[in-house]
Amino acid sequence: MFTPTGSSAFSGPETADVRPDWPEFIADLAPGKADQRAYLLLLRFALLNLVSIALLGAAYLQGWISALLAGDTTYMVTLIFITFLAGLFICTRKILQVSWELNQLRSMTPHPASRTALYLRQTEGRDSSSRSLIASALRLKLGSKITPVRYLASTLVLLGLIGTVVGFIMALSGVDPQAASDASAIGGMVATLIGGMSVALYTTLVGAVLNIWLMIACRLLESGTAKLLTGIVERGELHA
């Protein structure tokens, strides 16, 4: 079933911004119900994640992941990874939504809950200036959907930099210039220095790598959203 989540300033109750429930949403993505070209976005997204997971598995087999977790005494790496998973989950939902919307855009009779159908109803009988305002509002709505993913991707880099600063503080806190001449104290200082440097380098590396992964996924989402926006506006102009 469908539930209304709001209404547009350009139309009455019939243009309520509604979205399908997830079971029906996934069913509409099933083979035979959509133009196969719409699956290109999903295929690119799946390929990106498969390649990234394969590289992650290779790093695990080399023992790099175990060494990284062993050196994560501040749990900054864990925090970075959890933030990345949240961003990837949100991006996956958005990719599925955009793919569904692209399918509806190519359909001769788009689903009443799709943005294509809503836009056609909103622009029906409107003049060019009104259609331009409606298109601008649609652009802002679609753009706002990408913002959380981009924000989380940027947060990964910031968390990596924070981990770098924390690691250097840990490394320098164990250095005592007064005990530099004491051979028995040098071992402890070196161990603290190495531990702090490990935290600094590991958090920087993990934050940068996961940022690249999520940013590429975000670029795919942006390209699909731009294609959706252009297609809806063009169809609206033809319909008008």
Side-chain angles (χ1 to χ4, degrees):
M1 300 298 295
F2 302 94
T3 55
T5 59
S7 60
S8 170
F10 300 95
S11 59
E14 67 170 357
T15 60
D17 188 8
V18 294
R19 290 292 177 268
D21 292 336
W22 278 100
E24 184 173 352
F25 180 90
I26 298 299
D28 284 341
L29 286 174
K33 284 200 171 186
D35 192 319
Q36 298 301 317
R37 291 175 298 172
Y39 288 103
L40 290 177
L41 179 61
L42 287 175
L43 289 175
R44 294 191 187 104
F45 184 70
L47 180 61
L48 166 66
N49 288 284
L50 286 175
V51 171
S52 301
I53 291 174
L55 293 176
L56 194 64
Y60 176 79
L61 293 177
Q62 292 293 327
W64 298 343
I65 303 298
S66 300
L68 187 150
L69 293 176
D72 184 25
T73 57
T74 61
Y75 298 101
M76 284 297 298
V77 171
T78 303
L79 177 60
I80 292 172
F81 189 70
I82 292 174
T83 304
F84 164 76
L85 289 179
L88 188 63
F89 175 75
I90 295 174
C91 188
T92 301
R93 286 178 60 94
K94 302 300 182 185
I95 289 284
L96 287 172
Q97 291 173 356
V98 171
S99 297
W100 183 80
E101 293 286 357
L102 286 171
N103 287 336
Q104 300 307 312
L105 174 63
R106 297 185 177 100
S107 174
M108 294 299 296
T109 55
H111 196 285
S114 67
R115 292 193 181 275
T116 301
L118 292 173
Y119 185 82
L120 293 179
R121 292 199 297 269
Q122 289 173 347
T123 56
E124 185 175 4
R126 304 279 184 171
D127 55 26
S128 59
S129 60
S130 297
R131 294 198 303 273
S132 178
L133 290 175
I134 297 173
S136 298
L138 177 62
R139 182 181 297 106
L140 292 175
K141 287 180 181 179
L142 293 178
S144 65
K145 303 296 184 180
I146 306 173
T147 302
V149 181
R150 190 184 298 114
Y151 175 78
L152 288 173
S154 301
T155 302
L156 295 175
V157 177
L158 293 177
L159 290 175
L161 292 177
I162 293 174
T164 302
V165 174
V166 170
F168 276 112
I169 292 175
M170 292 174 55
L172 296 176
S173 65
V175 177
D176 184 6
Q178 304 298 327
S181 58
D182 186 356
S184 61
I186 292 178
M189 287 191 296
V190 170
T192 303
L193 181 63
I194 293 176
M197 292 300 295
S198 297
V199 171
L201 295 177
Y202 284 149
T203 52
T204 303
L205 176 63
V206 173
V209 170
L210 295 183
N211 169 261
I212 293 174
W213 185 344
L214 191 56
M215 280 304 299
I216 295 176
C218 184
R219 295 301 183 192
L220 292 176
L221 177 60
E222 288 176 349
S223 65
T225 303
K227 184 181 297 184
L228 175 64
L229 174 63
T230 303
I232 291 177
V233 174
E234 288 179 350
R235 182 162 179 176
E237 290 302 309
L238 292 174
H239 180 75

